[in-house]
Amino acid sequence: MVTSKKTGLQEFELIRWIQRQAGSSSHLTMGIGDDCSIQPQHAGQDLLTSTDLFIEGIHFKREWSNWFDLGRKAAAVNISDIAAMGGTPQSLYLGIGRPKEISDGEMEEFLSGFLTETRKYGAVLAGGDTCGSLGGLMISVTVQGTVTSGEALCRQGASYGDAIYVSGSLGDSALALQLLQCGKQPDSGLVERFHTPTPQVELGQKLSKRQLATAMLDISDGLLADLGHILTASGVGAELEMADLPLSKPFQKALQADPGLIDLALAGGEDYELVFTSPLKDLAVQIGSPHTVTRIGAVSQEPGLRIHHPDGELYRCQRGGFDHFA
Ligand code: ADP
Ligand code: MG
């Protein structure tokens, strides 16, 4: 029965409400609330499952990309949720709502990109569903993976004194999107980060297997929002050093022309890098190539998140993290 016609709930309020309605279950060690659910299996393995939507006009525009890259991205952003737990992707399930005007050739290219990305990580397309769509193209992907029992890295687990690390560089994807939205063509390095993000599977596995991290997730909604999930789940705060944020060459160049762009590195979203906490202070050295991880701050006892500007002041980011209903 519909009891309210209000539409004001923000994305995370709605998810929290759904979580309360769903309740918990004894067959899951983690249900709603992390990058994946965790279901213990026999033989010392935990099964990880995650699902995400990829909707035309919301997540992508046909004219900005090609069908092969769209297929790759649909797989990559889901595989990233397995990476975020330190797991190994195994099976993907692909739901397609196809509008009439998308040709067979275009669907073939999309699938080819999806399979290329899936196979790159040793996973397989194991099922799905196909129907027509009266709106745009709608893609729903579910991914399953495995991790050694008890080794999954969750949002909860960060503690006072831990260092905060991030992999790769921040803000490239959001900067590319901003340029595309203004009708400009971004540098190839930037636009690749937006069209074909790289899930950090190997790095995630290294961190979980060697028990180097206390909490972790992948950055899909922006560093501040996603690190915020770790802080909330762990009941701690954070001090971030703005000068230590890892930025790519093309991002630094754009930043020189417009210093306000730093907010894209802080809150832009779709980086699909890993943000994690660790008691170890020299992880950047321990992890070694080909991965780059950068220490960007520390976990504090005081709740909330403070960004320290190089001039000694606290910095206020003007952007919020991505919220689908904001
Ligand atoms: P992510 O960025 O990793 O996809 P989300 O913010 O989308 O994470 O989701 C947070 C948590 O809420 C996840 O555990 C996800 O499975 C759960 N969740 C999101 N939407 C729903 C829904 N409609 N029904 C049940 N669980 C949901
Ligand atoms: Mg999601």
Side-chain angles (χ1 to χ4, degrees):
M1 190 176 66
V2 177
T3 54
S4 168
K5 295 209 159 137
K6 283 199 305 194
T7 58
L9 281 183
Q10 305 270 293
E11 181 183 348
F12 295 110
E13 291 169 341
L14 179 59
I15 293 176
R16 268 195 296 278
W17 180 81
I18 293 173
Q19 187 178 22
R20 285 197 298 273
Q21 304 304 307
S24 58
S25 159
S26 60
H27 77 277
L28 295 175
T29 45
M30 172 66 71
I32 295 173
D34 218 295
D35 293 299
C36 297
S37 66
I38 306 177
Q39 184 174 347
Q41 307 286 288
H42 301 295
Q45 296 260 299
D46 285 345
L47 177 69
L48 306 171
T49 310
S50 174
T51 193
D52 264 309
L53 291 169
F54 194 55
I55 307 259
E56 182 165 9
I58 305 276
H59 298 100
F60 67 92
K61 283 204 163 86
R62 290 178 215 190
E63 55 272 28
W64 288 347
S65 189
N66 59 61
W67 291 101
F68 184 85
D69 282 350
L70 282 175
R72 276 189 64 184
K73 185 166 182 177
V77 302
N78 280 272
I79 290 170
S80 180
D81 277 319
I82 299 290
M85 309 291 283
T88 303
Q90 307 274 6
S91 304
L92 280 83
Y93 298 81
L94 173 63
I96 302 174
R98 174 189 180 182
K100 272 204 189 78
E101 73 281 3
I102 296 185
S103 70
D104 294 347
E106 288 167 335
M107 283 313 324
E108 274 167 28
E109 260 189 63
F110 177 88
L111 186 69
S112 171
F114 188 90
L115 290 176
T116 299
E117 193 68 13
T118 297
R119 288 175 183 142
K120 205 155 115 190
Y121 297 93
V124 67
L125 177 58
D129 197 27
T130 307
C131 68
S133 163
L134 298 178
L137 176 65
M138 286 192 252
I139 299 295
S140 160
V141 181
T142 300
V143 60
Q144 291 192 315
T146 52
V147 66
T148 303
S149 282
E151 286 185 2
L153 286 165
C154 298
R155 298 173 179 195
Q156 190 190 342
S159 50
Y160 170 54
D162 281 356
I164 301 169
Y165 291 92
V166 69
S167 67
S169 61
L170 297 171
D172 295 331
S173 178
L175 178 56
L177 174 62
Q178 182 163 304
L179 292 169
L180 287 168
Q181 281 171 333
C182 299
K184 295 182 189 149
Q185 185 54 38
D187 275 14
S188 62
L190 288 178
V191 83
E192 258 175 44
R193 292 291 309 274
F194 174 69
H195 287 322
T196 51
T198 306
Q200 297 299 316
V201 175
E202 216 183 290
L203 175 61
Q205 289 169 338
K206 223 179 207 183
L207 293 166
S208 70
K209 278 206 186 83
R210 291 164 56 185
Q211 298 177 10
L212 297 172
T214 45
M216 181 159 79
L217 50 58
D218 66 327
I219 305 174
S220 53
D221 296 332
L223 171 69
L224 298 185
D226 288 321
L227 176 58
H229 293 317
I230 289 185
L231 303 181
T232 306
S234 305
V236 291
E239 312 299 323
L240 286 189
E241 298 303 329
M242 201 161 130
D244 294 340
L245 296 177
L247 305 173
S248 70
K249 287 259 153 58
F251 193 96
Q252 288 176 25
K253 198 171 136 203
L255 193 62
Q256 274 170 6
D258 179 1
L261 290 178
I262 194 68
D263 287 1
L264 292 178
L266 287 165
E270 292 216 298
D271 296 304
Y272 297 104
E273 295 293 349
L274 297 176
V275 56
F276 58 95
T277 54
S278 173
L280 303 168
K281 305 294 184 288
D282 61 346
L283 253 194
V285 182
Q286 283 211 35
I287 287 292
S289 73
H291 308 289
T292 57
V293 301
T294 308
R295 189 169 148 189
I296 57 167
V299 174
S300 58
Q301 269 168 323
E302 193 187 336
L305 192 155
R306 286 153 296 279
I307 306 160
H308 298 267
H309 192 278
D311 69 9
E313 300 286 304
L314 286 183
Y315 179 75
R316 261 187 86 83
C317 180
Q318 301 301 317
R319 272 175 84 99
F322 190 77
D323 183 317
H324 275 284
F325 302 146

